[in-house]
Every structure is written in C-alpha cells, then in structure tokens.
C-alpha cells in the first residue's frame, strides 16, 4: 500500500498512486463513464460560438453565480458591531453555510446562530422558534446586541419579524430595551450586498429612530461587504489618522476576523461600539466605500440630514485621489504630505513596471463595486479590459461601467455583462480569450479549463491564505494589487520561456 503509519501521504499525492488510479478507472467503467473521445468532442462544442449563443440566451437557470445570498451579507454586517451575535430566523443549514463560507475565506470562526426552523415551523410559522432562540442566544452567549436577519424559509411563509420580536419581549425571553435590529433578507432577490445594506440600515435605524440629531463634524464610513476588510479597514483607519479626521466605521469586522492565537477564544472582538453607532446619527456626512452595498443605508443617512458620498471600491491612483479629495472637502483639512508621497510611490511603481502591464488584456468578475474599481485600475495601467461580469450588477452599474470605459481608448474592446454567471463567463473566455482573469477562487475552474491565469483579488478566496490581511484600497493597497498582478504575469512568463529557454531571463 502507498500509505502506512510511517509514510502518511497527502491526498493530492496519495490519489495519484497506481492503486488509486486503477481504482478510478474501474469506477468509471462501472458507472459507464463517457469515453475520452466523447469528452473531447463535447469540450470542443462547449467552447464554440454556437454554444456561447445558446449559453448567453439562457434565462431560467443559473450555473455557478458569482454572488451569495442576502443573509450572508447580513451576518457579515452584524458581526462588525461590538459583541453582536448574528441571528438568522430560518434553517440551521443556511447559517452553517454562512459560517463556513466566511470561515473558509478568513480562516477564522464566525459566530452566528439560527432559529433552526424545520418542517413543523415551515407549516405553522416560526414564532416559537424565534422566541425560544432569542432567549437561548441571550442567555448562553451574552451578546450586547442580537442582529436578526431571515433566510428563505421564513420569507417564503411570510413570518412577521417585527410582531415576533414584540412577542419575544412581551414573553420575557429578551429584555424590553435590549437592542434587536432586524433585516428582512429574502434570498430569492438581491444578493449578499443587498443583505449587507439591509442589516447596516437595520442597525442604524435601531439606534437612530426617534432621536433628535445634534450635528457635529465627524464622518461615518460604511466599508461595505469586503473580503479584504481586515486589511482595508485598518488601512482606512490609518489614512484617517494621517488626515486627523474623526470618523466612525459603520460595521468594522477587522478584529473579529483576525483574532490572535494567544490561548483565549474570542467569540466577539472589536467592532463598532453601540455608543458609536448611536452617535453616528450626529455626523456631518456618511461615506460608502461601495455604493452598491450601501444604497438604502445612504438613503437613511440623507433622510436624517447628513451629506452622503459613494465610491466604488477605491483602488489605484484616480479612485484614491477622489476619495481623499472628498475627505478634504468634507473636513476642510488638506491632504497630508505623507499620503501625497504614497501616491508618488504608487505612480513610480506603475511606471517602473509599465512595460509588463501595458496592453495586457483582462477579464474581471465579482461584485459590482469591485469590478468597477478593478477595471478603473486596469485602465490606469494601460491594460485592456475584455469581459467585465457581475452577477449581482444591475442596469445602473452597466451604465456606470460604460461611462468609465469610454474615458480611455484602452476600454474600447470591453464588454459589460450584467446578471450573468460563471458558466456564461466560460463561454465568453473560450470564444474571446484574454491574457488574465481577475476574480475569486471560483475562477480556478475557468483557469484550468481554458488556460487563462487567475489572479485572486476578491471574495471568496478559499484556496489561498491570508490575502485579506493586506489592504487593496488606497495608494498602499494599490501597490499590493500591482505587485500581485505583476507576480502572476512574470511567473507565467518564466514558465512559458522555460519551455524553450528563449528569453528565460534573470532580470525582468
Ligand atoms: S439561498 Fe436561501 S436556502 Fe439557500 S442558503 Fe441562502 S437563505 Fe438558505
């Protein structure tokens, strides 16, 4: 046997041993698997223009969408508040998915509970599940706040959260004045970014409703759903400190998804304090780092009299310039010299590497704000976007993308794909290939099938570690994105040139 107590092999090597390869062949024969010729023929067809047209015309079926469901975003937003327990009214399996999805990306546990609705609750309603669940969660985990969102099952049967919560308070399972923000997050519409927005709005409404605003000069920033939140939120706080700006991050997950290993388990860590969330009502303005993650929350901020501004995942030079100029405009403070220097360093690095960056073609997929921000940075590098796809992007996003692409001759070949999935992206890349693909770990199947190198730069990244610890926003973050892209370009070049030895150079 290839495996023994003295010689433990990892599965990646173990299953390549002759015994296992023979076993896989026997299994395939037993299952009447298709012949290699039939697979090759089908692959050729799937890569054709004829198949692409059928694939893009598909309406009733989604295959591998580049988005997740609403309550995942609500859970992410909830855990960004101090000692807050994310609480899903719905099925246990949904909550297990949210926890595992976030834990696989951040390599940290994510605390979230559910009302464990099963068949009986689906028929008779989930009132008792919610009343008992709140009492248990409050007693066992002792959070400072429980943030309630819903999964499909509760939404399909139309459970009335507001009435159920009132009943839970009346029954004494939760104190009358205990904060219980809520968000309806039906997953048959929207995506995780809609759920994020709904929960942020739910928390702010919980603390703001009925209170008189006493305006001050502080700012609020809503980071949005972000797989790089640990690095980005810290970078944001560093930039704000350089500026000397008093600011509240609304939902800050940077500590809870990066707890140290020092012998103490922290179910809760860091986060926006409930006092700060309450006081955020008085801020002069609320800024969203990702417009499509914060539309309802910004409406709420505007409705109480705050100024608002929205960005699209600001990466690179121009987007960071605009963000800093907005901070300067709102606070009346000049942009610090230290940040001006950082800008110069990013521009210098881009110029140093321009020979490798210029003219490269990219396809990008992900959340609408990420695809916008990434495309803008790609254009700044003198590279050419080809397919820009956002499953959860809408018509407004499409229009904004087209306006952006029109600002540069490098955008001339780009096509914007709204609401399409990664199976559609496969057809696009098979028929109109590009040099590089930027997206999440799910792009690795496209990389394998089509031979287009994948650069992992957005959520979820399951198969690489610790990317989220480093920022991609701001000038410093832009430098990291630049290095990530360059490393991939030069790694690919080394592999290709090593085949012949021609141009396998030491200096690039
Ligand atoms: S789509 Fe609905 S059923 Fe599926 S995990 Fe999300 S909430 Fe649960």
């Amino acid at each position: 046997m290839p495996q023994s107590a003295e010689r433990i092999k990892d599965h990646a090597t173990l299953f390549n041993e002759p015994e296992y390869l023979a076993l896989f062949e026997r299994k395939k024969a037993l299952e009447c698997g298709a012949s290699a010729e039939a697979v090759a023929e089908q692959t050729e067809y799937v890569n054709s223009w004829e198949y692409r047209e059928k694939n893009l015309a598909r309406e009733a079926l989604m295959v591998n969408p580049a988005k997740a469901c609403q309550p995942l975003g609500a859970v992410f937003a909830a855990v960004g508040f101090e000692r807050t327990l994310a609480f899903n009214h719905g099925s246990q399996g949904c909550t297990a998915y949210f926890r595992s999805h976030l834990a696989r990306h951040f390599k940290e546990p994510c605390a979230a509970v559910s009302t464990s609705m099963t068949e009986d609750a689906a028929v008779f309603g989930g009132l008792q599940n919610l009343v008992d669940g709140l009492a248990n969660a409050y007693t066992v985990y002792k959070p400072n706040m429980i943030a309630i969102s819903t999964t499909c099952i509760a939404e399909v049967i139309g459970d009335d959260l507001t009435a159920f919560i009132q009943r839970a308070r009346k029954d004494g399972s939760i104190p009358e004045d205990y904060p219980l923000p809520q968000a309806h997050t039906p997953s048959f519409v929207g995506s995780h970014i809609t759920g994020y927005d709904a929960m942020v709005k739910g928390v702010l409404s919980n603390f703001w409703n009925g209170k008189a605003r006493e305006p001050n000069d502080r700012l609020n920033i809503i980071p949005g759903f972000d797989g790089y939140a640990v690095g980005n939120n810290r970078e944001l706080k560093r930039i704000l400190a350089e500026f000397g700006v008093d600011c509240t991050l609304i939902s800050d997950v940077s500590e809870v998804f990066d707890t140290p290993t020092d012998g103490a388990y922290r179910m809760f860590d860091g986060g926006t304090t409930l006092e700060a969330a309450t006081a955020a009502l008085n801020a002069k303005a609320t800024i969203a780092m990702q417009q499509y993650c914060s539309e309802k929350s910004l409406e709420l901020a505007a409705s109480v009299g705050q100024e608002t501004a929205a960005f699209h995942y600001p990466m690179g030079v121009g987007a960071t310039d605009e963000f800093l100029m907005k901070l300067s405009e709102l606070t009346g403070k000049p942009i610090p010299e230290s940040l001006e220097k950082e800008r110069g360093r990013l521009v210098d690095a881009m110029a140093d590497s321009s020979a490798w960056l210029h003219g490269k073609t990219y396809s990008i997929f992900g959340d609408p704000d990420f695809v916008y921000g990434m495309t803008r940075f790609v254009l700044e590098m003198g590279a050419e976007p080809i397919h820009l796809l956002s499953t959860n992007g809408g018509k407004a996003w499409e229009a904004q993308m087209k306006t952006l692409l029109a600002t540069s001759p490098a955008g001339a070949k780009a096509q914007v794909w709204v609401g399409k999935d990664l199976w559609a992206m496969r057809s696009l890349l098979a028929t109109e290939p590009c040099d590089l693909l930027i997206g999440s770990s799910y792009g690795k199947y496209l990389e394998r099938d089509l031979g287009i190198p994948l650069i992992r730069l957005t959520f979820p990244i399951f198969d690489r570690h610790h990317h989220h610890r480093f920022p991609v926003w701001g000038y410093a973050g832009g430098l990291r994105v630049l290095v990530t892209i360059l490393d991939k370009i030069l790694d690919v070049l080394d592999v290709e040139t090593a085949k012949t030895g021609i141009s396998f150079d030491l200096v690039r």
Side-chain angles (χ1 to χ4, degrees):
M1 286 295 288
Q3 183 92 301
S4 71
E6 285 74 39
R7 192 161 159 267
I8 306 282
K9 287 197 160 197
D10 177 76
H11 63 96
T13 47
L14 178 68
F15 294 149
N16 278 304
E17 293 288 341
E19 289 90 334
Y20 283 96
L21 293 178
L23 185 146
F24 296 144
E25 282 305 315
R26 290 200 301 277
K27 182 169 180 287
K28 195 169 149 191
L30 183 74
E31 292 168 345
C32 305
S35 67
E37 296 74 37
V39 171
E41 191 183 329
Q42 199 59 32
T43 303
E44 197 183 328
Y45 176 63
V46 170
N47 290 344
S48 68
W49 273 91
E50 183 189 344
Y51 183 79
R52 165 180 162 148
E53 274 156 30
K54 287 186 178 153
N55 193 6
L56 291 179
R58 171 169 49 90
E59 285 179 358
L61 174 71
M62 192 67 93
V63 184
N64 205 3
K67 65 167 188 170
C69 62
Q70 281 211 45
L72 177 83
V75 166
F76 183 89
V79 299
F81 291 90
E82 178 194 29
R83 288 192 66 83
T84 294
L85 185 63
F87 183 103
N88 295 131
H89 181 44
S91 312
Q92 175 62 24
C94 303
T95 307
Y97 153 57
F98 311 144
R99 286 194 304 236
S100 69
H101 213 60
L102 293 165
R104 284 171 180 170
H105 175 85
F106 289 108
K107 316 300 180 202
E108 292 281 339
C110 174
V113 297
S114 82
T115 53
S116 295
M117 287 175 69
T118 51
E119 289 84 349
D120 52 346
V123 174
F124 301 111
L127 170 63
Q128 204 53 46
N129 294 59
L130 189 120
V131 171
D132 293 346
L134 282 177
N136 288 337
Y138 176 73
T139 309
V140 175
Y141 302 115
K142 301 179 176 44
N144 289 356
M145 177 163 81
I146 298 176
I148 307 170
S149 52
T150 49
T151 74
C152 289
I153 186 173
E155 291 295 334
V156 167
I157 63 172
D159 273 0
D160 182 347
L161 269 191
T162 308
F164 287 11
I165 290 168
Q166 280 170 1
R167 174 70 178 274
R169 290 194 197 275
K170 199 157 155 274
D171 285 2
S173 61
I174 205 90
E176 279 290 342
D177 58 351
Y178 185 83
L180 289 174
Q182 63 184 78
H184 279 280
T185 46
S187 294
F188 29 87
V189 290
S191 71
H192 57 289
I193 61 174
T194 330
Y196 176 95
D197 191 18
M199 181 50 79
V200 168
K201 185 186 171 193
V203 171
L204 295 181
S205 302
N206 180 83
F207 291 113
W208 292 4
N209 282 356
K211 291 201 177 65
R213 182 163 172 261
E214 295 168 16
N216 58 35
D217 286 335
R218 288 183 68 89
L219 300 180
N220 301 324
I221 295 189
I222 306 173
F225 190 100
D226 179 19
Y228 281 74
V230 170
N232 276 342
N233 288 4
R234 289 177 183 160
E235 177 64 8
L236 208 46
K237 286 184 265 189
R238 185 187 72 84
I239 290 173
L240 294 162
E242 296 271 322
F243 240 103
V245 172
D246 290 327
C247 182
T248 302
L249 254 57
I250 305 290
S251 178
D252 178 8
V253 300
S254 58
E255 298 299 305
V256 74
F257 285 133
D258 192 22
T259 57
T261 295
D262 58 4
Y265 169 64
R266 296 162 176 82
M267 186 166 174
F268 310 104
D269 201 13
T272 310
T273 65
L274 306 192
E275 290 74 25
T278 308
L281 170 64
N282 301 323
K284 174 181 181 168
T286 295
I287 298 172
M289 300 301 279
Q290 301 188 68
Q291 179 187 327
Y292 293 105
C293 286
S294 310
E295 290 185 309
K296 299 285 177 208
S297 303
L298 287 185
E299 278 174 21
L300 175 69
S303 74
V304 299
Q306 296 179 2
E307 293 177 48
T308 61
F311 296 87
H312 298 291
Y313 210 80
M315 278 188 287
V317 182
T320 306
D321 289 351
E322 280 173 15
F323 172 61
L324 296 187
M325 286 191 290
K326 179 51 88 174
L327 285 183
S328 179
E329 178 196 318
L330 287 169
T331 60
K333 297 187 179 204
I335 294 173
E337 205 182 310
S338 56
L339 295 178
E340 284 182 11
K341 265 192 170 175
E342 286 179 22
R343 181 188 196 277
R345 290 183 190 123
L346 175 59
V347 173
D348 183 58
M350 289 166 71
D352 289 346
S353 310
S354 63
W356 297 110
L357 298 166
H358 191 272
K360 284 274 181 299
T361 55
Y362 293 82
S363 290
I364 303 167
F365 68 88
D367 287 344
D369 291 294
F370 170 76
V371 176
Y372 185 101
M374 194 69 247
T375 302
R376 186 168 178 181
F377 196 16
V378 160
L379 289 172
E380 278 180 349
M381 293 178 205
E384 298 178 14
I386 301 296
H387 299 295
L388 306 167
L389 181 147
S390 184
T391 310
N392 47 354
K395 290 283 170 208
W397 171 76
E398 183 180 24
Q400 279 180 324
M401 287 295 295
K402 287 183 174 166
T403 305
L404 170 68
L405 293 164
T407 60
S408 168
K413 290 185 200 152
Q415 298 171 70
V416 181
W417 300 98
V418 176
K420 296 295 180 193
D421 54 30
L422 293 187
W423 187 243
M425 184 62 123
R426 192 189 185 290
S427 280
L428 298 171
L429 293 174
T431 47
E432 291 176 291
C434 56
D435 296 322
L436 295 149
L437 174 65
I438 296 179
S440 70
S441 288
Y442 285 108
K444 76 188 290 177
Y445 300 102
L446 300 171
E447 179 181 48
R448 181 188 61 181
D449 291 356
L450 303 165
I452 299 175
L454 169 69
I455 303 171
R456 293 161 178 80
L457 274 170
T458 193
F459 181 88
I461 300 177
F462 293 153
D463 59 341
R464 299 290 184 272
H465 293 198
H466 309 308
H467 290 216
H468 62 274
R469 296 176 193 274
F470 301 95
V472 296
W473 286 347
Y475 303 126
L479 200 51
R480 177 150 191 97
V481 174
L482 184 78
V483 170
T484 306
I485 290 174
L486 279 166
D487 277 353
K488 179 63 82 172
I489 290 171
L490 297 176
D491 280 347
V492 169
L493 186 70
D494 278 346
V495 169
E496 288 303 313
T497 53
K499 289 175 187 166
T500 61
I502 299 169
S503 292
F504 184 72
D505 297 332
L506 179 64
V507 180
R508 298 287 193 194

